[in-house]
Amino acid sequence: MDCVNIAVTGETGAGKSSLVNAIRGLKDTDDGAAPTGVTQTTTKPTSYPHPTMPNVTIWDLPGTGGPGFKPKTYMKAVKFQTYDFFIIVSETRFMDNDIVLAKEIKKKKKKFYFVRTKIDRDVQEEAQKGVKEKETLQTIRKVCEKNIRELKSPPVFLITPREQRKFDFQNLAESLERNLPKHKRQALSELWYKNTRLSG
Ligand SMILES: Nc1nc2c(ncn2[C@@H]2O[C@H](COP(=O)(O)OP(=O)(O)O)[C@@H](O)[C@H]2O)c(=O)[nH]1
Ligand SMILES: [Mg+2]
C-alpha cells in the first residue's frame, strides 16, 4: 500500500511534537514518543511510524522562526517533496513565519492545514476571567482566520492533543483523510479510528 507522509511544522514550542504523538495515539511519556518540552528541539525532520500502521509516517519537522527565517531554504532542507500534507501548528495567531511558510508550501502545490493548538490553556485562562468557552473559541477563530485569510486555506482547526474528543480534533482527522488521494485514505481512516478509541 502507498505510504502517507504527514509533516508537522510551525515555530519552536508551538506544540508540534505533542501533536505528532497524538496523531500516533501516544502519550508524550510513552516509549518511542517524540520528545516534547521547552528544551526539546528537532533540528532535522524526524519520522515517526505509526506503531500498528507501517504505511503511515508522521514527520516532526524542525521549528521555523528566528529573524533570518527563509521559507524557501527551509522547504529545501526538509525535503518538502517527500510529504503529502503539511500541518502548520501555532499556539498563538499564526505569525509572519507561519504565513510565509504557507505561501511557499502553496507555491510548491502542496496542501496544508492551519492548526491552532493548546486550546485547553486558553479556555482555562479565559474561564478564570469569566469568559465562556464558546466565546473564547469564537475569538481565537476570528483572530486566526483574519491572519490566514489571504491564503484562502481551509478553516483553521482549534485543537489540543490533551483532549482529542473536544474542539476540532475529530474534524481535523476527518478533513485530513478526505483530502488525501483516494488510495491513501484507508490507512489514515484506520489510524484515526484506533486513535479515537485509544483516547476515548
Ligand atoms: N496546555 C497545553 N500544553 C501543550 C499543548 N501542546 C503542547 N503543549 C506543551 O507545550 C510545550 C511545547 O510542546 P512541543 O510539542 O514540545 O512543541 P514543539 O517544539 O513545537 O515540538 C510542551 O511543554 C508541551 O507539553 C496543549 O495542547 N496544551
Ligand atoms: Mg518538538
Side-chain angles (χ1 to χ4, degrees):
M1 195 189 264
D2 279 301
C3 290
V4 180
N5 288 287
I6 302 168
V8 180
T9 182
E11 299 207 12
T12 303
K16 298 180 294 298
S17 303
S18 304
L19 179 57
V20 166
N21 293 336
I23 293 176
R24 297 172 68 215
L26 296 181
K27 291 200 184 75
D28 291 342
T29 48
D30 283 347
D31 275 352
T36 59
V38 275
T39 58
Q40 299 289 353
T41 48
T42 310
T43 52
K44 58 180 184 190
T46 311
S47 67
Y48 291 96
H50 187 264
T52 59
M53 307 288 301
N55 50 332
V56 177
T57 304
I58 321 292
W59 293 83
D60 196 357
L61 298 195
T64 62
F69 176 71
K70 294 206 173 62
K72 260 190 195 142
T73 314
Y74 179 84
M75 288 287 276
K76 209 170 165 186
V78 300
K79 299 192 172 65
F80 72 88
Q81 70 278 13
T82 323
Y83 312 110
D84 298 293
F85 255 98
F86 288 83
I87 296 177
I88 304 175
V89 180
S90 172
E91 60 165 327
T92 57
R93 54 181 66 186
F94 300 104
M95 308 306 245
D96 290 353
N97 287 327
D98 302 311
I99 305 299
V100 289
L101 181 62
K103 284 181 183 164
E104 191 59 28
I105 294 173
K106 206 171 171 179
K107 221 190 271 172
K108 303 286 188 203
K109 308 244 180 297
K110 295 277 180 181
K111 291 202 163 151
F112 61 90
Y113 284 147
F114 284 114
V115 169
R116 165 56 155 87
T117 192
K118 305 195 191 181
I119 291 297
D120 58 320
R121 184 197 56 189
D122 300 270
V123 166
Q124 202 184 349
E125 276 173 17
E126 292 304 296
Q128 280 165 7
K129 298 182 222 157
V131 183
K132 292 208 170 68
E133 178 176 306
K134 197 175 160 201
E135 203 180 316
T136 303
L137 297 177
Q138 270 174 358
T139 309
I140 296 174
R141 205 179 288 283
K142 214 164 132 190
V143 170
C144 288
E145 289 188 344
K146 181 167 168 269
N147 284 1
I148 65 171
R149 190 164 297 144
E150 60 175 317
L151 269 309
K152 296 191 172 60
S153 74
V156 59
F157 298 93
L158 310 188
I159 66 140
T160 170
R162 298 185 182 187
E163 291 170 82
Q164 295 174 21
R165 299 201 145 204
K166 289 192 76 180
F167 316 119
D168 298 335
F169 199 95
Q170 291 304 314
N171 187 10
L172 168 66
E174 284 157 24
S175 305
L176 203 49
E177 189 191 324
R178 265 203 308 279
N179 270 289
L180 282 176
K182 226 179 198 161
H183 57 283
K184 293 193 176 189
R185 279 182 203 168
Q186 184 65 16
L188 207 64
S189 108
E190 283 174 36
L191 165 64
W192 287 111
Y193 176 70
K194 283 207 174 80
N195 220 355
T196 328
R197 311 245 307 176
L198 279 172
S199 64

